[in-house]
Amino acid sequence: MKRVLVRALVLCLVVLAGYGAVVHGLSYRVLGYRPDPPSLDPAHLAAIQDRLPSASGTAAPPAALRRFAVAETARRLTFAVKRNALTDPNQILDGRQAHCRMYAYVVAATYNQLVKPRTRQAACRVAYGHMYLYGVNLHPYVGGTFFQDHDFCVFADEQGAYAADATLYDYFRVGRIRLRN
C-alpha cells in the first residue's frame, strides 16, 4: 500500500512539473486585431454579473475582472471545431458552442463591459496570431486552413499588455500568457 501511494505521489509531481514547464514556455505573437465585438445585451450581461463575486463589486481590480471574464466564458461555452465564426457575443452565448475566435469575442465583450464603469485605463481586444512553445512556432506542425492562426484576447492595463485564452483556460486552466515582440 505504501509503495502504491509513493508511486501515485511521484506521478502527480511529474505531471504537475510537466504542466508547469509547458505553461511557462507558452507565448503568443500578435499578427493583427479583429474588430471590436458588439456589447452584450442586458439579459446576458445581467446573467454574467449575477455570477460576479459580490466581494469584487465595484472595487474589483482589472486583473480580477480578467480572470472572471475568462473563467465565465469557459464555463458557458463548449469548444467545437466549426467553420462559421460568429462575432456577436450574444449569438455565441445562445449557441453555447464555439471555437477560439468566438471564445475571444465573448471574453472581450464581457471584460470591456465589466471594466468600463470601474476604470478607463483597461481594455481588451480580440487578436489573432501564432502560438509558440519555448520559441518554436507550433502552427507549421498543424495542417489545414482552420489552424492557420489562433484567436485570443490581449489585455492592456496599467501593468502592461498580456494575453489570455479562454480556450486554453477551458481545458488546461491556463490563465495568463506572455506576448512575444
Side-chain angles (χ1 to χ4, degrees):
M1 181 67 174
K2 185 177 179 181
R3 197 178 265 180
V4 171
L5 287 175
V6 169
R7 286 182 181 172
L9 180 63
V10 168
L11 179 63
C12 285
L13 290 174
V14 167
V15 168
L16 288 174
Y19 173 81
V22 169
V23 169
H24 177 72
L26 279 178
S27 60
Y28 286 158
R29 173 168 282 150
V30 175
L31 299 178
Y33 291 95
R34 306 268 184 219
D36 289 335
S39 298
L40 292 171
D41 61 28
H44 285 112
L45 184 59
I48 288 172
Q49 285 178 325
D50 284 346
R51 292 202 31 96
L52 186 64
S54 60
S56 297
T58 58
L65 294 174
R66 172 189 50 85
R67 287 188 299 270
F68 174 78
V70 170
E72 186 63 15
T73 299
R75 188 185 75 76
R76 290 183 175 272
L77 298 176
T78 303
F79 186 81
V81 177
K82 293 182 168 190
R83 281 288 208 220
N84 65 338
L86 298 173
T87 59
D88 183 352
N90 300 301
Q91 292 175 354
I92 296 167
L93 286 169
D94 289 339
R96 297 182 183 245
Q97 288 188 337
H99 55 67
C100 62
R101 183 180 303 176
M102 295 158 67
Y103 270 86
Y105 274 113
V106 173
V107 170
T110 302
Y111 179 81
N112 287 332
Q113 281 184 268
L114 291 176
V115 80
K116 187 177 181 181
R118 292 164 174 87
T119 180
R120 298 264 182 223
Q121 298 169 344
C124 176
R125 294 184 68 191
V126 177
Y128 60 92
H130 288 172
M131 183 184 298
Y132 289 77
L133 182 62
Y134 288 107
V136 176
N137 186 346
L138 299 178
H139 289 266
Y141 301 107
V142 182
T145 59
F146 183 82
F147 296 104
Q148 285 180 345
D149 55 34
H150 180 68
D151 287 62
F152 51 93
C153 290
V154 174
F155 294 85
D157 58 25
E158 55 275 350
Q159 296 176 349
Y162 46 90
D165 187 348
T167 309
L168 284 180
Y169 183 86
D170 197 7
Y171 288 96
F172 305 110
R173 298 297 184 246
V174 177
R176 186 172 167 163
I177 301 163
R178 290 181 296 118
L179 286 172
R180 298 178 65 82
N181 294 332

